[in-house]
Amino acid sequence: MPSDEFLVTPWEVEGNVDYNKLTALFGTQPIDDAILARFKRLTGSIPLMLRRQVFFSHRDLNWILDRYEAGEKFVLYTGRGPSGHTHLGHLMPWIFTKYLQDAFHADLYFQMTDDEKFLQKDELSASATRGFSYDNALDLIALGFDPEKTRIFLDTEYARTLYPIALEVAKRVTFSAARAVFGFDSSTNIGMVFFTSMQSAPAFLPAILSGRNVPVLIPCAIDQDPHFRITRDVAPKMGYYKPALIHSRFFPSLLGLDKMSASIPETSIFTTDSPEEARTKIANAFTGGRTTAQEQRDLGGVPDICAVYQYSFYLFEQDDKRAVELREECLRGARACGECKNELADKVVQFLKHHQAAREQAQDRIEDFIIRDCQE
Ligand code: TYM
C-alpha cells in the first residue's frame, strides 16, 4: 500500500492512518476545545486521553452531554472480540470507559462477541472464543470497574435477550448497505453479514430492559465506527435514540506506526506477558532514532514516528510537562533510544505486575459481573 494510503475497518487496519482524513471520510466530528471545557465543567478535570487527543473524534457527544445536564443519565456500552489475549491497545478504550463510569456514575454493558470471532477466524473454535471471553473479562475487571454498575455478557450466552433485538436491526439493514459499509464479497460467510446486528443490539438494551428511551454512549477506537453507523441508521426506525460515540486513535504497534495487532505478537504487549517478554519486545521496538549515537546527538531523534515515545504519550507518562520534555530532549539529541526504552520498560513492567495481581483476584469475582440467559 502506498505510504499515504490507509484502510480502517472493524477487522483490518493498514497503512499510516491520517486521522484528519479519517474523520472526514467517516463523517465524525473532532473533539474541540469547547467539548474539553465542558468535561472540565461537568467532571472537574480533563482526563489525559482527552487532553492529549487520544480520544479525538465523536458522534453526538454534545447531545448526550445536553441530556445529562437535563438530568437524563446515559449508559455506557463497549466490547471486545475475544480472539486471543488482551493487549495494551485494547485496554486504552477500557481505561477511558472506567473514567467515564466514575465521572458520570454510569452503568456499563460490555459485550464479548465470541460469535464474531468464531465466524471471522478460521482457526478459532466456538469453545476457544468462549474461553478467551472469560480470559479477557479478567482484564476488564482488573481495571476496577464497579460490579454494581457493570454487566459483561457473551453473545452466545445472552442470546435470548440479544437475538430478538438483533432481528429487529437485521430486518432494517439491506445486504447492499452492509456490503457498502464493510466491503463484503461473495466469499464472506453469511454469519458475518448478520453479525453487525448483534453488535448493534446492546445499544438498545438499556432502553429495552428499562422500558423507556435511554441515551447510550459508546467509547471505542475508531475502527468500530462502521458498525455503529448502521446502528445509528436503524435507531430512529426502531423508535430509539441514536447511540453517541467517542473514538480513540490506535495505540501503535511496537514495530512502527500502524495499529497494535494481536495476530503479530511482537507488535504488542499482552497483559499476560512476563516482565522479561515485555522488556525484550520494548528492547526490539521501532524508534525514531538515528543510526549512530553521533548522528543522534547532532540531528536529534524523530519522536513522532517512535513507538517508544508514543507508548509514553498515550499511556505511560502521566505528567504532561514530562511528556513535552521527553519529546523536546529527543528532538535536540539529548536522549539516546536505549534510555527511553529502559524508562518505558520499567513503567510497563510495573503496570503489568500490578495488573496481573488484579487479574488473579478477578478470578473469584467474575460471576459478580457476568449476565447470561442461556448456556450450553
Ligand atoms: P476488538 O476486540 O477488536 O477491540 C476491543 C476494543 O479495543 C479497541 N482497539 C484498540 N484501541 C486502541 N488501540 C488499538 N491498537 C486497538 N485495537 C483494538 C477497539 O476499537 C475496541 O474498542 N467487534 C468488537 C467488539 C465489540 C465492541 C462493541 C467494541 C462489540 N461491541 C462496542 C467497541 C464497542 C471487536 O472485535 O473489538
Side-chain angles (χ1 to χ4, degrees):
M1 168 174 290
S3 63
D4 61 340
E5 280 185 21
F6 59 89
L7 173 78
V8 175
T9 79
W11 300 292
E12 222 180 337
V13 175
E14 258 183 58
N16 280 337
V17 179
D18 177 331
Y19 288 99
N20 288 331
K21 273 194 194 155
L22 194 60
T23 37
L25 196 70
F26 280 11
T28 66
Q29 302 301 311
I31 291 185
D32 56 18
D33 289 346
I35 290 188
L36 297 188
R38 221 171 160 186
F39 268 83
K40 173 120 202 223
R41 185 160 55 75
L42 289 173
T43 70
S45 63
I46 308 172
L48 182 150
M49 287 194 204
L50 282 179
R51 286 198 311 269
R52 297 196 192 162
Q53 289 276 307
V54 175
F55 275 79
F56 71 107
S57 149
H58 74 97
R59 291 184 188 271
D60 275 345
L61 192 55
N62 276 312
W63 168 79
I64 213 156
L65 294 176
D66 289 345
R67 307 291 339 137
Y68 179 80
E69 289 199 89
E72 203 175 351
K73 281 180 67 176
F74 57 81
V75 169
L76 296 162
Y77 158 44
T78 193
R80 161 80 176 130
S83 56
H85 290 301
T86 303
H87 63 50
L88 295 182
H90 301 128
L91 290 189
M92 225 171 60
W94 305 350
I95 291 169
F96 188 67
T97 303
K98 163 81 166 66
Y99 151 78
L100 291 172
Q101 176 169 82
D102 293 345
F104 293 94
H105 313 288
D107 289 342
L108 164 66
Y109 284 97
F110 192 97
Q111 179 180 39
M112 292 289 182
T113 53
D114 57 335
D115 51 348
E116 173 193 16
K117 292 297 151 177
F118 169 66
L119 290 164
Q120 184 208 345
K121 303 260 178 188
D122 285 345
E123 68 281 13
L124 289 180
S125 66
S127 74
T129 59
R130 199 170 308 132
F132 282 129
S133 302
Y134 281 91
D135 170 89
N136 296 174
L138 298 177
D139 290 303
L140 191 77
I141 297 168
L143 293 177
F145 282 92
D146 179 348
E148 299 293 320
K149 291 186 173 307
T150 306
R151 295 289 164 259
I152 304 173
F153 52 86
L154 280 63
D155 283 352
T156 58
E157 292 184 354
Y158 200 47
R160 270 190 210 156
T161 305
L162 294 177
Y163 187 60
I165 314 174
L167 281 181
E168 293 286 344
V169 175
K171 196 167 181 174
R172 294 168 171 86
V173 183
T174 62
F175 177 61
S176 80
R179 187 177 45 194
V181 172
F182 299 109
F184 297 141
D185 61 30
S186 52
S187 71
T188 308
N189 74 54
I190 57 174
M192 287 297 282
V193 178
F194 175 77
F195 167 73
T196 192
S197 23
M198 287 299 281
Q199 186 150 328
S200 285
F204 308 122
L205 195 56
I208 286 165
L209 295 180
S210 69
R212 63 187 163 78
N213 233 334
V214 178
V216 167
L217 174 61
I218 307 176
C220 57
I222 194 146
D223 59 336
Q224 298 298 315
D225 185 74
H227 284 296
F228 301 117
R229 263 180 262 157
I230 289 194
T231 318
R232 286 168 54 85
D233 258 13
V234 299
K237 298 176 196 157
M238 289 170 62
Y240 299 121
Y241 290 145
K242 292 181 180 189
L245 286 120
I246 182 160
H247 307 109
S248 77
R249 296 169 199 261
F250 302 115
F251 197 59
S253 145
L254 277 172
L255 299 183
L257 265 192
D258 51 342
K259 179 183 164 234
M260 212 181 213
S261 159
S263 49
I264 316 170
E266 298 76 32
T267 65
S268 325
I269 293 176
F270 293 89
T271 60
T272 47
D273 280 353
S274 67
E276 298 70 40
E277 282 168 326
R279 280 190 193 279
T280 307
K281 287 180 183 179
I282 293 170
N284 294 330
F286 174 82
T287 70
R290 307 286 173 179
T291 23
T292 65
Q294 187 59 48
E295 270 186 46
Q296 177 84 1
R297 279 193 295 273
D298 294 346
L299 302 171
V302 190
D304 295 341
I305 60 161
C306 175
V308 176
Y309 177 71
Q310 301 295 319
Y311 262 56
S312 295
F313 182 79
Y314 276 61
L315 218 48
F316 287 100
E317 182 49 73
Q318 301 280 317
D319 180 343
D320 288 343
K321 206 165 134 249
R322 189 68 198 127
V324 172
E325 280 169 8
L326 282 177
R327 185 167 187 280
E328 284 171 354
E329 286 171 16
C330 173
L331 283 169
R332 63 167 194 273
R335 293 202 133 246
C337 296
E339 219 177 314
C340 286
K341 284 179 173 175
N342 285 337
E343 286 173 15
L344 177 69
D346 288 345
K347 286 190 178 144
V348 169
V349 165
Q350 199 187 4
F351 171 82
L352 284 178
K353 282 189 178 151
H354 176 270
H355 185 79
Q356 287 168 3
R359 249 177 80 90
E360 267 310 300
Q361 288 173 1
Q363 301 267 11
D364 300 331
R365 301 173 52 225
I366 201 151
E367 288 302 317
D368 298 345
F369 289 85
I370 297 272
I371 45 172
R372 46 176 89 79
D373 56 17
C374 51
Q375 219 177 349
E376 267 190 355

